[in-house]
Amino acid sequence: MNLEELSGLPPGAIDHFQRDGIEELYPPQAEAVEAGATDGDSLVAAVPTASGKTMIAALSMLSAIERGGKALYIVPLRALASEKKAEFEAYEEFGVTVGVTTGNYESTSEWLATKDIIVATSEKVDSLVRNGADWLSDLTCVVSDEVHLIDDRNRGPTLEVTLAKLRRLNPGMQVVALSATVGNADEIADWLDAALVDTDWRPIDLQMGVHYGNALNFDDGTTREVPVEGSEKQEAALVRDILEEGGSSLVFVNSRRNAEAAARRLGQVSTRELTDDERAELTELAEKIREDSDTETSTDLADCVEQGAAFHHAGLSSTQRTLVEDAFRDRLLKVISATPTLAAGVNTPARRVIVRDWRRFDPSAGGMAPLDVLEVHQMMGRAGRPGLDPYGEAVLLAKSHEDSQELFDRYIWADPEAVRSKLAAEPALRTHVLATIASGFARTREELLEFLEATLYASQSTEAGRLEQVTETVLQYLESNDFIEREGGTEKTTDDDAGAFTSAADLAAQQSAQTDERLEATSLGHTVSRLYLDPMSAAEIVHGLEDADERPTALGLYQLVSRTPDMYELYLRSGEDDTFGELFYEREAELLGDAPSEYEDDRFEDWLAALKTGKLLADWASEDDEEQLTERYKIGPGDLRGKVDTAEWLLGAAESLAREIDSEWTVAVREARARVEHGVGEELLELVSVGGVGRKRARRLYEVGIEEPADLRSADKGVVLNALKGAKTAETILENAGREDPSMEGIEPTTSANGGEGADSSRDTEPASNRTDTDNSQSSLGDF
């Protein structure tokens, strides 16, 4: 289908796409248009990576906007939201406005009411529904990218419920669901009342195969010789082979440690193929990575980058991940070794994808278990980029002939698993049932069950009464924790009755008698839903605060939020149960709530893991350096930042809950939140409120006698300059503090009146590479 044949798009849209080199639609795109994508009809597009899924979404959204509507693009990751926003912002040249929203779960983001296209994560959209964002009722088109993630146990239920709620808010709304790997796309289409475009067409060929010995055997029966030389590993031989013809490689492994080790080895291969200009650019890129964070992980990554290789995993900071991804897309980096996080939607194609590890540790299996076909196919789909690669190759590695045959049977010739709803799992259901009641989607038990019947779970369920049974258990939990009230219907069941529903007949009789039972969220329940908390997290926090007889310490509060379901706690390494067991007995009086007995092995280990996580946060709030913390706790800079961000959010929520229950410890929670936000001791909280003053600058100012913002307005400028190491930085901070004349012109650094040398703090000496006169940003947790 020629682009000129399209109608119903905003004026200028076709010219825009033609300037981008698009004259004709790919077959899957043309099929989507014929199925009604530009006419407002719902659609499920099961289309391979690089085959034009985003264009299907764009045509659907732009035609909806031309009809006077508004479009929402739902993504699974914040990084993907930024990528899509940048892509869609190009439409502003023909009058289409774009906005992105991914954080602040208490906000309704009303400014988005004026935007034509909104990009958001499913969690953010869910929170917008909970908080009653009026503009959601104006949506006429919703695109769900990577819809197969409904199968994900952690995030899938949120996407599923969000789509169900949006469809209920806007009954005539067009839904466009996209995925490269859906084994049961027809079921998803039936659930969404949508047409189905299901194709394996790709703009360039993708060959899938297995490397064994010195040969790469493909699914079409062809063979390519890729000899392994001497002590060379298979993946190194495959990377070397593709680099020699100008292609790049992605190598998927099963752990962070393996990703880092593989990058170091593969850098010895990639460095041979670099030009002088590329070496110079990579040196600059490596320096940016080192400046982002002063940790061992950053140093290791920078060393690999200088050789044209990199590793990619969740332990990297968001800045580091972006730098690596951009350099790889530009083909400056030649190879990335990555955990499967890189396969989750971010655009990082390579000519050859190597799935080195197809097993990973699975606690539920008690050892190493094979990856799902869907996940492996998601990795393989990264192979080949139109316009840069003449073909794509996806390769699994075998050590024997038997392994080779197994890999062909298990992955190459296999179809991906069916996507199955995970909504009936109680942790997911308790969150979404409370939100459904609090947001007014269901005011009676009958309405609640009616809403849940519109979910994918209900359409897939074959177990009679299962949804009603799990729902009743969740309602009892919410009622017992004062999150909801139930009125009318039959006599309320008690906790002892939770197991009484032993048959579908029992449940059906109970349901029939309760059809008129009213459900209403309490004030506490509304607060929990608005804060986007798991109700179990809220219950843990509330009970911990209510049980505190004395003012909670920072460690006590950090351990409290660390044991909630919303915090991914650090796990205990070998020998650490003794270390943190001793800490538990030393600081037991500070910990909130009832500790389990040390003879309750699993519960006690979880308690100690939360204590370890809380101690990490307490060390950060005591101004320990980022490098010390990442080494001490064996984590990456991204892990530290993630824990700090999550703790800040949970403590902010805890402050709201403390006010809600009229706790006397609200101020203690607020101070603990501020300390973890800025990574400072209590005495520095006022100083870090000044723009440009981070933890290190605050400590240096404090040590020269400047203890609060008012001191910055009257202190000797030479002392300030000596502490801050940069005239431009000092001027900006003095201006932010409200100093009448912040100019540093003609000022020379001087020591403080008490003889202290602000720059010589042994605790907070700043690396020379971080000191500039013009950099006022706080680029990492450990800077300034």
Side-chain angles (χ1 to χ4, degrees), residues 416-622:
E417 296 84 2
V419 169
R420 306 295 300 178
S421 169
K422 301 298 188 292
L423 180 61
E426 190 175 322
L429 201 60
R430 66 175 175 247
T431 295
H432 293 294
V433 165
L434 176 59
T436 301
I437 296 170
S439 58
F441 269 86
R443 292 183 171 83
T444 67
R445 191 174 187 278
E446 184 178 28
E447 288 179 359
L448 175 62
L449 290 171
E450 181 183 341
F451 168 73
L452 292 174
E453 284 295 330
T455 62
L456 177 63
Y457 173 78
S459 72
Q460 291 182 328
S461 179
T462 58
E463 184 180 350
R466 166 67 177 164
L467 187 59
E468 291 88 344
Q469 183 177 4
V470 177
T471 301
E472 177 58 33
T473 301
V474 167
L475 288 172
Q476 290 181 25
Y477 174 83
L478 296 175
E479 183 183 27
S480 67
N481 283 281
D482 298 322
F483 296 140
I484 65 168
E485 293 177 345
R486 304 168 71 175
E487 298 177 359
T490 62
E491 184 179 346
K492 293 189 182 76
T493 56
T494 67
D495 290 344
D496 293 335
D497 296 325
F501 303 109
T502 56
S503 71
D506 291 339
L507 198 59
Q510 176 73 3
Q511 180 186 356
S512 175
Q514 289 183 330
T515 52
D516 60 342
E517 180 183 48
R518 292 192 60 79
L519 305 173
E520 184 174 352
T522 63
S523 178
L524 179 60
H526 277 288
T527 298
V528 172
S529 178
R530 176 176 54 80
L531 292 170
Y532 208 72
L533 282 175
D534 183 327
M536 188 172 283
S537 294
E540 188 79 36
I541 291 169
V542 167
H543 296 156
L545 292 175
E546 288 178 337
D547 288 346
D549 295 324
E550 299 179 354
R551 192 182 198 272
T553 65
L555 177 64
L557 289 166
Y558 297 153
Q559 196 263 357
L560 173 63
V561 299
S562 293
R563 63 178 195 255
T564 66
D566 283 307
M567 172 71 84
Y568 288 100
E569 61 192 23
L570 300 173
Y571 66 90
L572 294 178
R573 297 177 179 272
S574 177
E576 288 188 338
D577 50 347
D578 290 335
T579 301
F580 288 97
E582 291 177 10
L583 181 64
F584 165 68
Y585 292 117
E586 291 172 8
R587 310 285 292 271
E588 183 176 6
E590 297 179 49
L591 306 184
L592 306 175
D594 295 325
S597 164
E598 61 182 298
Y599 300 107
E600 300 175 78
D601 292 344
D602 291 342
R603 288 189 63 220
F604 191 65
E605 185 171 330
D606 284 343
W607 186 273
L608 294 184
L611 178 57
K612 177 182 178 181
T613 310
K615 185 63 166 61
L616 165 67
L617 296 168
D619 289 351
W620 163 250
S622 297

Side-chain angles (χ1 to χ4, degrees), residues 54 75 282-283 306 313 356 367 386 410 560 617 664 697 701 739 741:
T54 301
V75 295
L282 288 168
T283 298
E306 287 181 320
H313 56 57
R356 193 194 79 177
R410 182 184 290 275
L560 173 63
L617 296 168
E664 61 184 307
R697 288 174 178 165
L701 288 168
R739 186 144 181 165
D741 177 18

Side-chain angles (χ1 to χ4, degrees), residues 376-396:
V376 171
H377 281 200
Q378 192 77 8
M379 299 178 203
M380 289 178 148
R382 296 284 148 203
R385 178 198 264 185
L388 280 179
D389 297 315
Y391 61 89
E393 286 181 356
V395 185
L396 290 148

Side-chain angles (χ1 to χ4, degrees), residues 211-217 223-229 234 237:
H211 185 268
Y212 166 55
N214 292 321
L216 183 47
N217 301 301
T223 298
R224 174 171 176 159
E225 290 297 317
V226 183
V228 179
E229 300 174 352
Q234 282 176 284

Side-chain angles (χ1 to χ4, degrees), residues 151-214:
D151 194 77
D152 183 270
R153 186 167 298 277
N154 295 316
R155 309 185 73 179
T158 296
L159 176 58
E160 179 181 347
V161 169
T162 296
L163 288 174
K165 286 182 177 178
L166 290 176
R167 292 180 70 204
R168 181 164 173 177
L169 273 174
N170 307 287
M173 182 182 70
Q174 177 186 22
V175 179
V176 179
L178 309 174
S179 179
T181 45
V182 179
N184 56 333
D186 54 338
E187 280 190 39
I188 305 298
D190 287 345
W191 171 51
L192 295 174
D193 300 317
L196 174 62
V197 174
D198 191 357
T199 177
D200 58 4
W201 183 92
R202 285 176 57 104
I204 59 174
D205 289 336
L206 171 64
Q207 290 185 294
M208 297 191 294
V210 177
H211 185 268
Y212 166 55
N214 292 321

